[in-house]
Amino acid sequence: MSEKIVVSRDAGVLRLLLNRPEKKNALNRDMYRALIAALDGAARDETVRAVVFAGAGGNFTAGNDLADFRDFAPGAETFPALAFVRAAAAFEKPLVAAVTGDAVGVGTTLLFHCDLVYASPEARFKMPFIDLALPPEGGASLLVPQRFGMAKASQYLLLGESFDGAEAFRLGLVNAVASPEVVLDLAMEAARRLAAKPREALLAARRLMRGEPNDIRSRIDAEAALFAKALTSPEARERFAAFFASKSR
C-alpha cells in the first residue's frame, strides 16, 4: 500500500485512512492505485466484512489532486481515479465513511456509494466540477438527483455550492452528525455491527436495495467519456492554470 493510504484491520473491518494531511488528503494516482488494490483484496478476503473510509489531519479529502488533471493524458492507465470510482461502485460488501473537514469532488461523490456515512457538523461537502469546466463524475449525475431531488441536485451540482454536515444529514447523505472526535468511532462501530450480521443475507439485501448495477455502471462510463474529453478542453486548461497560479503567489 502507498504510505499515503494507511490500511488497518479491526476484526472483520478494514479501515482505509487517507493520509496526506499536508494536502488535505487530495488523492493522487498512487493513492488511487492503493485504494483500488485494497478494495480488490478486501473483495477476495472472506474475513473482511466491511470497509471504512476516513481521512487524517481533520479532513476527509480535498478531492482529486489537480496536478493529475492538469497532466492528464487519455487512457485508463493514466487515470486511475476512474478505476477507483468503478471499484467502489462495484464493491459488494458494506462501505462506511467517517467525514470531517473537507469532502470535495470525489470526496463527496464517493459517499453516494457508501452504505453508512457519519460526519461532523462543520464538514464541508462540495462538488465543484462545473466550476472546473468538467462534468460530474462517479455516477453523481444519476445518484445526486435520486438522493436529493432535482432542485437540490441543481444547487449542489450545477451551482457547485457547498453544504455542511447538518444539510447533508437533512438531505439523506449522512446518517448522523457528531463531534469530530467521535465521528470515526461511530463509523467503526457501525462497520463492526455490519460485520457481525449474517453475511449472505446482508449482501443480498444490499444488492436488492441498490437495484440494477448496470444503470450506475453505464452512467459512470458515460460521465467518464465526457470527463476525459473535458480535461483537455481549453476552458478546463485555463481553470487549472489559474488554480496553480493562485497557489504560487
Side-chain angles (χ1 to χ4, degrees):
M1 293 296 104
S2 163
E3 64 181 10
K4 299 189 185 304
I5 301 295
V6 179
V7 181
S8 58
R9 290 284 296 266
D10 180 343
V13 177
L14 186 75
R15 188 184 74 173
L16 302 177
L17 182 70
L18 312 181
N19 186 40
R20 197 187 181 197
E22 71 280 6
K23 296 290 186 180
K24 293 188 176 181
N25 302 321
L27 294 163
N28 60 25
R29 290 184 177 90
D30 288 342
M31 293 171 73
Y32 278 124
R33 292 188 182 106
L35 287 168
I36 294 164
L39 288 179
D40 181 61
R44 292 182 285 105
D45 187 344
E46 292 190 1
T47 67
V48 174
R49 307 289 287 272
V51 172
V52 172
F53 293 104
N59 290 291
F60 187 56
T61 172
N64 202 97
D65 190 324
L66 287 187
D68 285 356
F69 282 176
R70 178 193 60 195
D71 301 335
F72 171 75
E77 180 55 33
T78 61
F79 199 41
L82 173 58
F84 169 66
V85 168
R86 285 177 172 149
F91 195 70
E92 294 187 345
K93 299 176 184 181
L95 296 172
V96 181
V99 180
T100 59
D102 283 353
V104 179
V106 70
T108 293
T109 58
L110 170 62
L111 304 178
F112 288 89
H113 300 287
C114 292
D115 302 277
L116 297 168
V117 179
Y118 300 88
S120 60
E122 77 285 356
R124 187 178 74 102
F125 304 85
K126 188 174 177 65
M127 295 176 283
F129 306 111
I130 305 299
D131 291 339
L132 293 170
L134 302 170
E137 51 77 38
S141 63
L142 175 67
L143 298 175
V144 178
Q146 284 180 349
R147 186 79 61 93
F148 291 179
M150 192 60 70
K152 286 297 184 181
S154 297
Q155 181 177 346
Y156 296 128
L157 275 176
L158 301 185
L159 287 178
E161 293 183 3
S162 62
F163 54 101
D164 62 14
E167 176 72 349
F169 176 75
R170 193 187 69 77
L171 291 167
L173 181 62
V174 164
N175 294 86
V177 176
S179 66
E181 296 78 18
V182 302
V183 167
L184 181 56
D185 291 338
L186 284 177
M188 291 298 295
E189 174 58 24
R192 285 190 287 267
R193 289 171 59 195
L194 289 170
K197 301 288 185 184
R199 180 178 182 275
E200 292 306 320
L202 179 68
L203 298 184
R206 189 177 187 271
R207 286 193 299 270
L208 291 166
M209 290 168 66
R210 287 173 175 260
E212 175 52 54
N214 285 333
D215 291 345
I216 186 61
R217 188 180 305 119
S218 296
R219 183 58 62 92
I220 289 172
D221 289 346
E223 291 172 345
L226 295 171
F227 201 96
K229 183 178 180 180
L231 280 173
T232 59
S233 71
E235 190 172 18
R237 309 308 289 183
E238 289 174 8
R239 298 296 175 114
F240 302 152
F243 172 82
F244 287 105
S246 69
K247 291 294 183 182
S248 64
R249 290 175 191 149

